[in-house]
């Protein structure tokens, strides 16, 4: 029996001590022997990685994937390296279980693990896993701290365990704990749908798999694995290997399925010759009959990683209509042929697609109350939504990393955990080069730049920028031309070298170039829009206002815009008999001069000379107020076309 409260320890099975008999010596036959009390051996578990693995598995006693456990302990290394490390320490954990004579034994399969020992103790015995401090594994430490905080106080709104936790032996990959919040509308839509195929789409971490697990609690799972897309029937083989009783009534299709599962053959039995024309059809039929006789619905996790043979078989099930299935998927990563087939099923009314958005403020605040009741009160829902975009995975990671008593204003200062940053970088590396460059440029920019400006920063052609932005948005990294939320921005900026950041700023067009992507840098303008890396000076803002007003006058003849064409000018024009039209045309001519001076590509007197503005040029050289007026009159005499005559 495992005691998780207080020091982590294992209580061995009780062994009854025989009572004293008349021939026993008095020193041996003491009172304990006479009472025949059961004796128990209690062993404290060492603070090692093997004990940590046992603790993770024993928390809920459910199946966990090896990839999930590896990411908890080694989030910053490739998955193959994490799985290799897990195999080494898993052997040590098994040896520890054997040494403690712990029951039941650990269950291990090719892609998942399970250990469900009986547990004893309560919070009155002390803190959870007291003194268990495993250094060098920050993600495991955050996981343990979140569990301690959750067990330290009663859940104010916790539902019965059967409604919120899926603790089944079929490998449901739902997270542990009563932290499923929101999604009531989505659950109702899924349960009410009569479609043969349900596809729940959304960005990674948005809660697709958890929603399916909480909605259809009794359905078996097929799980796609990244990197196994070329292994035919890999998810289906794993399911049937865990359900051997499904293969008992295959009848005439037993030998066809035996080509995929050789354990169906009797000792010494040989397979018949292969008929290339009918072998695939008979195999699909045999697999369909094996499932249809035992399940009314299948759940598919990560449909985008399922192999082509499995997806073809699933489409066959959808056409047959005897077994319905629901899948979680990332739209951007679905193979084109599968996406087209799903669209066809949707057009026929056989499929329904549900795209998940982020959790709202109320759901995020409820998640905080359930996970971290030890945090200070405040507007946690708004703060979590601003920092995570409502993504439940990111919200849980941020909450687990906070110290007790923290307030909502601590979230912007909280860096992303290693696991979150690694996942975001992995999603960035999945993108093509153009989309990756645009995402990094958006992390450096401040505000919402125009697509052309972002393309200039990333050195991407404007024609290729829009498709690349759509790809980055489908991965959940961007929303338009800015980062989806602060965690994405922080994680992407951390991976950009300073030299690359300076190069991104230097590749802007000349009118919109920023001196450096750092706080306090001077603003930049391009094509009438601002791309700002810091506060602007008052002179720059005033010049921008004058230029915009001049443009309005030049285009629309707006004599009241920005002070150009003042009332005094209109009155003087009427006295001269010119009327409003003359005032409008005169103001337009003056506006064109001002516009040329404001956008000539330079500042001060030099820019004014290039634009042909004698007033600004004279003032730039420090002349008196009368001298610019004389210069303007000389310019008017030599350029009469710039000042049209008054109208009739």
């Amino acid at each position: 029996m495992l005691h998780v409260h207080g020091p982590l320890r294992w209580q061995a099975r009780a062994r009854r001590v025989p009572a004293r008999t008349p021939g026993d010596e008095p020193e041996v036959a003491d009172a304990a022997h006479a009472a025949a009390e059961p004796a128990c051996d209690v062993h404290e578990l060492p603070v090692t990685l093997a004990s940590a693995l046992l603790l993770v598995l024993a928390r809920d006693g459910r199946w966990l994937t090896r990839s999930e456990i590896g990411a908890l302990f080694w989030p910053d290394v490739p998955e193959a390296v994490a799985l290799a490390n897990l195999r080494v320490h898993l052997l040590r954990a098994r040896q520890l279980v054997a040494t403690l004579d712990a029951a039941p034994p650990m269950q291990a399969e090719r892609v998942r693990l399970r250990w469900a020992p009986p547990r004893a103790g309560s919070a009155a015995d002390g803190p959870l896993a007291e003194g268990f401090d495993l250094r060098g594994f920050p993600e495991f430490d955050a996981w343990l701290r979140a569990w301690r905080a959750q067990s330290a106080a009663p859940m104010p709104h916790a539902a019965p365990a059967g409604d919120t936790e899926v603790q089944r032996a079929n490998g449901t990959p739902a997270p542990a704990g009563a932290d499923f919040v929101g999604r009531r509308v989505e659950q109702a839509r899924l349960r009410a749908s009569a479609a043969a195929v349900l596809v729940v789409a959304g960005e990674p971490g948005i809660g697709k798999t958890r929603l399916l697990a909480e909605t259809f609690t009794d359905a078996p799972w097929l799980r796609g694995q990244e990197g196994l897309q070329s292994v035919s029937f890999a998810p289906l083989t794993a399911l049937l290997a865990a359900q051997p009783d499904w293969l008992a009534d295959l009848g005439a299709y037993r030998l066809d399925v035996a080509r995929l599962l050789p354990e169906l053959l009797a000792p010494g039995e040989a397979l018949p010759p292969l008929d290339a024309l009918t072998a695939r059809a008979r195999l699909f039929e045999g697999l369909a009959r094996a499932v249809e006789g035992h399940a009314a619905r299948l759940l598919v996790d990560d449909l985008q990683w399922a192999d082509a043979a499995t997806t073809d078989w699933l489409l066959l099930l959808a056409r047959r209509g005897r077994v319905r299935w629901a899948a979680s998927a990332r739209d951007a990563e679905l193979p084109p042929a599968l996406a087209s087939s799903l669209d066809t099923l949707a057009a026929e009314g056989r499929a329904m697609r549900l795209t998940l958005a982020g959790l709202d403020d109320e759901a995020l605040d409820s998640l905080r109350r359930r996970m971290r009741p030890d945090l200070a009160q405040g507007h946690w829902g708004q703060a979590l939504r601003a920092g995570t975009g409502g993504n439940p995975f990111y919200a849980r990671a941020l909450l687990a990393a906070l110290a007790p008593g923290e307030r909502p204003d601590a979230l912007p200062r909280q860096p992303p955990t290693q696991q979150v940053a690694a996942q975001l970088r992995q999603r960035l590396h999945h993108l093509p080069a153009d989309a990756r460059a645009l995402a990094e440029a958006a992390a450096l920019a401040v505000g919402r730049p125009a697509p052309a400006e972002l393309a200039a920063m990333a050195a991407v052609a404007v024609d290729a920028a829009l498709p690349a932005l759509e790809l980055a948005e489908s991965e959940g990294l961007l929303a338009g031309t800015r980062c989806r939320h602060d965690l994405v921005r922080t994680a992407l900026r951390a991976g950009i070298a300073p030299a690359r950041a300076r190069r991104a700023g230097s590749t802007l067009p000349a009118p919109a170039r920023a001196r450096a992507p750092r706080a306090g840098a001077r603003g930049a303008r391009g094509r009438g829009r601002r791309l700002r890396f810091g506060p602007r000076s008052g002179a720059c803002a005033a010049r921008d206002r004058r230029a915009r007003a001049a443009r309005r006058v030049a285009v629309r003849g707006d004599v009241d815009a920005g002070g150009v064409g003042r009332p005094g000018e209109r009155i003087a024009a009427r006295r001269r008999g010119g009327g409003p039209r003359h005032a409008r045309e005169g103001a337009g001519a003056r506006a064109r001069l001002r516009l040329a001076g404001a956008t000539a590509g330079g500042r001060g007197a030099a820019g004014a000379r290039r634009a042909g503005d004698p007033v600004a040029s004279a003032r730039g050289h420090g002349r008196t107020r009368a001298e610019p007026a004389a210069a303007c009159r000389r310019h008017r005499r030599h350029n009469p076309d710039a000042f049209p005559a008054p109208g009739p």
Side-chain angles (χ1 to χ4, degrees):
M1 186 174 295
L2 184 65
H3 293 260
V4 296
H5 287 276
L8 193 61
R9 58 200 186 279
W10 176 263
Q11 179 181 337
R13 281 175 270 183
R15 51 182 176 83
R16 184 166 296 277
V17 180
R20 183 181 60 179
T21 61
D24 289 337
E25 294 294 334
E27 293 81 2
V28 179
D30 55 8
H33 286 76
E37 291 290 340
C40 299
D41 295 330
V42 178
H43 304 277
E44 187 168 339
L45 271 64
V47 183
T48 61
L49 194 53
S51 300
L53 284 172
L54 295 179
L55 184 62
V56 170
L57 291 170
R59 174 173 178 175
D60 294 290
R62 62 184 180 90
W63 288 99
L64 294 175
T65 64
R66 293 175 181 256
S67 300
E68 185 179 357
I69 301 174
L72 179 62
F73 289 97
W74 301 280
D76 297 329
V77 301
E79 185 178 2
V81 178
L83 293 178
N85 294 340
L86 179 61
R87 285 194 293 270
V88 173
H89 293 283
L90 184 60
L91 176 61
R92 298 173 182 172
R94 285 180 169 178
Q95 293 172 349
L96 180 59
V97 170
T99 302
L100 298 174
D101 192 21
M106 185 185 300
Q107 299 172 267
E109 295 182 358
R110 184 170 58 88
V111 296
R112 60 180 185 170
L113 303 167
R114 185 189 183 206
W115 188 50
R119 283 168 39 184
S122 62
D125 298 332
L128 191 142
E130 184 178 7
F132 197 91
D133 184 13
L134 191 63
R135 299 185 180 276
F137 296 91
E139 295 298 320
F140 169 77
D141 182 62
W143 174 87
L144 185 57
R145 283 193 285 111
W147 189 14
R148 285 169 175 162
Q150 184 179 349
S151 63
M155 297 300 171
H157 300 288
D163 296 335
T164 57
E165 299 182 20
V166 182
Q167 302 175 0
R168 303 183 181 277
N170 58 10
T172 299
D179 55 354
F180 180 69
V181 295
R183 307 300 189 200
R184 302 304 175 193
V185 175
E186 291 86 348
Q187 276 190 309
R189 289 187 61 189
L190 291 176
R191 287 171 176 158
S193 175
V197 177
L198 301 174
V199 178
V200 180
E203 65 177 276
I206 202 65
K208 306 181 293 294
T209 302
R210 183 66 184 275
L211 174 61
L212 291 177
E214 296 288 346
T215 305
F216 308 109
T217 56
D218 294 323
W221 283 83
L222 298 175
R223 291 197 300 277
Q225 297 285 331
E226 187 176 12
L228 298 182
Q229 293 93 325
S230 60
V231 181
S232 297
F233 296 108
L236 189 55
T237 302
L239 172 65
L240 294 177
Q243 304 287 349
D245 55 314
W246 291 14
L247 304 171
D249 302 324
L250 292 177
Y253 295 95
R254 182 179 65 87
L255 294 179
D256 298 284
V257 179
R259 299 186 185 277
L260 182 64
L261 300 171
E263 57 268 24
L264 292 178
L265 293 174
E269 187 178 11
L271 288 172
L274 179 66
D275 185 355
L277 294 177
T278 61
R280 182 179 175 88
R282 289 185 61 87
L283 176 59
F284 275 37
E285 179 68 24
L287 294 173
R289 293 194 178 196
V291 173
E292 288 170 351
H294 299 86
R297 186 188 297 273
L298 286 177
L299 300 181
V300 186
D301 188 27
D302 289 324
L303 180 64
Q304 73 278 356
W305 292 335
D307 58 277
T310 299
T311 56
D312 288 346
W313 179 78
L314 288 171
L315 294 174
L316 172 66
L317 290 186
R319 293 292 181 182
R320 291 165 69 102
R322 301 172 190 170
V323 175
R324 295 186 290 175
W325 53 274
S328 65
R330 304 177 188 176
D331 277 337
E333 299 182 29
L334 283 176
L338 177 58
S340 177
S341 299
L342 292 175
D343 290 340
T344 302
L345 290 175
E348 297 174 359
R350 298 173 182 265
M352 185 189 81
R353 183 187 302 269
L354 178 64
T355 302
L356 295 186
L359 296 176
D360 57 19
D361 294 354
E362 182 180 357
L364 290 170
D365 192 56
S366 177
L367 177 65
R368 194 276 310 171
R369 291 196 303 269
R370 297 186 182 198
M371 279 191 63
R372 296 299 304 272
D374 58 327
L375 296 176
Q377 298 298 317
H379 299 290
W380 283 99
Q382 298 176 7
L384 285 170
R385 185 165 181 82
T388 66
N391 188 297
F393 174 76
Y394 300 147
R396 290 188 182 96
L398 271 184
L399 288 173
L402 292 174
E406 290 277 15
R407 300 187 60 82
D409 55 9
L411 278 179
R413 302 189 301 270
Q414 184 68 33
T417 63
Q418 294 182 4
Q419 187 177 7
V420 170
Q423 188 195 73
L424 290 172
R425 288 194 296 269
Q426 183 182 21
R427 287 157 59 183
L428 178 69
H429 294 154
H430 284 170
L431 294 173
D434 288 349
R436 187 163 58 248
L438 288 170
E440 292 177 344
L444 293 172
V446 177
R448 188 182 294 274
E453 294 169 345
L454 202 62
M457 285 185 65
V460 174
V462 177
D463 294 340
L466 292 180
L469 284 173
E470 291 177 356
L471 286 176
E473 190 167 0
S474 66
E475 279 289 336
L477 297 177
L478 297 184
T481 57
R482 58 188 305 183
C483 290
R484 187 173 183 84
H485 44 73
D486 295 340
L487 274 181
V488 173
R489 182 185 302 278
T490 305
L492 297 189
R493 278 186 175 180
I496 302 175
R500 291 173 59 196
R502 288 192 294 270
R503 183 170 62 86
S506 66
T507 54
L508 283 171
R513 181 174 297 130
R515 298 299 177 89
R518 64 181 187 274
R522 299 181 66 178
R525 288 183 297 114
R527 301 183 183 182
R529 295 178 180 267
R530 294 191 189 103
L531 180 63
R532 292 171 45 185
F533 294 97
R536 296 174 59 80
S537 65
C540 291
R543 187 175 62 254
D544 288 348
R545 287 195 297 271
R546 289 195 299 271
R548 286 196 299 271
R551 286 189 182 92
R552 288 197 297 270
V553 172
V555 175
R556 300 195 305 263
D558 185 0
V559 299
D560 293 327
V564 181
R566 299 177 181 83
E569 294 180 354
R570 296 197 297 271
I571 296 173
R574 291 191 183 97
R575 288 176 179 174
R576 292 193 300 269
R581 179 171 176 269
H582 175 246
R584 186 162 55 247
E585 292 174 347
R590 180 173 294 185
R592 283 190 290 273
L593 286 176
R594 292 181 179 178
L595 176 60
T599 59
R603 295 175 181 174
R609 285 196 305 273
R610 289 195 295 271
D613 187 352
V615 179
S617 178
R619 287 178 179 170
H621 285 83
R623 297 177 183 174
T624 64
R625 294 182 59 87
E627 289 172 335
C632 187
R633 287 193 295 272
R634 288 194 301 271
H635 181 73
R636 184 168 183 159
R637 286 197 303 270
H638 293 295
N639 299 276
D641 294 338
F643 297 86

